[in-house]
Amino acid sequence: MEVLSRLLRRLPRAANFSYHPKCVQLNLTHLVFADDLLVFIRGDLPSVKAVADCLDTFSHFSGLHANPSKTDLYFGGVAETVRDLILDATGNALLVNSVIFGLHTFWGASVLLPKGIAKRIIKLCKDFLWGIDDGWISTYVLKGTSLWDAQQTVSNSWYWNNMKYRTDTMYGYLRTRRPLVPWAPLIHGTGSHPKHSFTGMLVMNNGLPNLDKLISRGMCFINRCVLCECSYEDIPHLFFECEFSKSVLIVVAQWVQMPLGSFSLAQIMQTNLPTRRNVKQHASLLATIYYLWKERNDRSFKGPKSTVDALSIVIRKVVTLRLYGSNVS
Ligand SMILES: [Zn+2]
């Protein structure tokens, strides 16, 4: 098979030989799996004759001949007249199209393959199809685009188009759009720092690991707010029933002229709906949440303590820098 493979690699030197259109860039003429041989060529008579000559040469030297009953021609996109010419010349049966993974399936179904060899075959198929820079998919289907950007086209194979369709469907399924929560515009679409928005989202989803949650999981036994040191710590308390956090919020709210109808986080979000258009108010509210949570963690882990004034100044500086690119508010 190695000798035959060498002869086939010389096929492109023949004047009448043309690569299969999808094999030009890969300089691919054939693939060998154990005793099976796949030859890829352009669908024209001269190329078929070039291959036939190559096989004749091999037979002449080796005395081995291809078994006609185990040989098939696979056509794709070849005009009927050309196809008839080729069939007349070769006398072969017709089968249209194939999928390379079918090879592995065929072998797996026919022969009991050792697990290591099966894995090796799968890897070879994957490398051939999906090789990062020179694989079949990246060269002929994606053509430099990403999987997500690749368009379905008529010329692409059914297999590929179907796979692309299924990938899109699965992606759409995984990112199923649910109805927007009322506070979504406050978290997204503001000038806030992403980490402030993220913390705000965790707060609204009750996703922060505060003390009442840790106690319910048996990870902690004492629940005492480290900001005021006189109350039970849960999300409503931290934002902003706690005297410390309430004081910080009042200073920040005065700075951005944000009316505070209530000190409950949920009610602030609802009663201040019209102010969602105010980027500075959004950014300040989310920054206040973030720095209160940070202060809570610093104190929990014996870090430095900030005062209400110090924390308010930090929030003001960070928001101003974020929105206006300077320290001047
Ligand atoms: Zn407190």
Side-chain angles (χ1 to χ4, degrees):
M1 195 56 89
E2 178 58 30
V3 174
L4 178 58
S5 194
R6 287 189 182 191
L7 287 172
L8 290 168
R9 277 201 290 271
R10 292 164 60 182
L11 266 177
R13 297 181 194 172
N16 53 354
F17 175 84
S18 299
Y19 279 107
H20 184 284
K22 298 289 176 76
C23 297
V24 179
Q25 290 186 40
L26 300 174
N27 295 324
L28 182 70
T29 55
H30 66 287
L31 288 174
V32 177
F33 287 91
D35 291 335
D36 269 351
L37 171 69
L38 285 171
V39 182
F40 307 100
I41 57 172
R42 181 186 166 87
D44 58 37
L45 196 54
S47 297
V48 172
K49 284 184 173 174
V51 173
D53 290 345
C54 183
L55 294 175
D56 285 345
T57 303
F58 176 73
S59 297
H60 176 74
F61 287 113
S62 66
L64 299 171
H65 300 274
N67 185 343
S69 67
K70 294 182 179 178
T71 305
D72 290 310
L73 288 179
Y74 294 76
F75 290 92
V78 178
E80 198 170 337
T81 50
V82 177
R83 200 170 62 193
D84 290 343
L85 279 174
I86 292 172
L87 288 172
D88 284 345
T90 59
N92 263 291
L94 170 69
L95 281 174
V96 180
N97 248 326
S98 66
V99 178
I100 191 161
F101 274 107
L103 274 175
H104 160 252
T105 309
F106 167 76
W107 275 102
S110 310
V111 182
L112 191 60
L113 293 174
K115 195 180 279 185
I117 293 178
K119 282 184 179 176
R120 176 72 179 147
I121 291 174
I122 291 172
K123 184 178 184 311
L124 285 170
C125 291
K126 284 180 177 174
D127 287 348
F128 173 75
L129 283 172
W130 295 101
I132 294 173
D133 294 323
D134 56 357
W136 180 286
I137 298 295
S138 60
T139 303
Y140 288 105
V141 182
L142 297 179
K143 296 174 182 172
T145 63
S146 72
L147 178 65
W148 309 111
D149 295 331
Q151 300 295 315
Q152 286 179 236
T153 65
V154 175
S155 62
N156 283 344
S157 71
W158 173 89
Y159 179 79
W160 168 257
N161 276 341
N162 202 37
M163 186 182 76
K164 167 82 174 133
Y165 167 74
R166 290 185 181 187
T167 308
D168 287 350
T169 304
M170 182 55 73
Y171 181 63
Y173 173 77
L174 290 174
R175 64 189 296 270
T176 297
R177 292 184 181 278
R178 296 177 180 158
L180 280 180
V181 290
W183 43 266
L186 189 74
I187 303 298
H188 308 289
T190 72
S192 300
H193 193 289
K195 65 183 179 183
H196 300 175
S197 296
F198 184 68
T199 308
M201 186 179 69
L202 289 179
V203 169
M204 297 308 290
N205 277 319
N206 199 23
L208 287 179
N210 53 293
L211 285 177
D212 66 333
K213 288 203 196 71
L214 295 181
I215 286 175
S216 69
R217 294 170 193 164
M219 299 169 71
C220 185
F221 300 102
I222 301 173
N223 189 339
R224 188 181 224 190
C225 172
V226 290
L227 296 179
C228 65
E229 296 182 341
C230 62
S231 183
Y232 183 86
E233 182 198 280
D234 58 14
I235 292 294
H237 175 79
L238 280 173
F239 312 100
F240 301 90
E241 294 167 4
C242 175
E243 287 302 319
F244 181 87
S245 61
K246 187 191 299 182
S247 301
V248 174
L249 181 63
I250 288 173
V251 176
V252 174
Q254 284 174 344
W255 171 54
V256 294
Q257 299 176 331
M258 179 168 62
L260 292 175
S262 164
F263 289 109
S264 146
L265 185 63
Q267 288 183 354
I268 286 174
M269 297 288 186
Q270 288 170 2
T271 55
N272 289 331
L273 280 178
T275 66
R276 284 182 178 173
R277 296 192 186 92
N278 189 321
V279 173
K280 193 171 173 182
Q281 289 179 353
H282 290 165
S284 300
L285 184 56
L286 290 172
T288 302
I289 290 171
Y290 172 82
Y291 279 99
L292 282 173
W293 179 246
K294 183 175 180 299
E295 177 68 18
R296 176 264 187 205
N297 290 334
D298 286 345
R299 293 191 187 196
S300 296
F301 297 103
K302 312 299 181 195
K305 283 186 179 180
S306 289
T307 63
V308 169
D309 287 342
L311 208 56
S312 307
I313 289 170
V314 168
I315 292 168
R316 202 165 149 169
K317 280 184 176 177
V318 167
V319 171
T320 305
L321 196 62
R322 174 79 185 171
L323 296 180
Y324 309 112
S326 75
N327 281 319
V328 181
S329 61

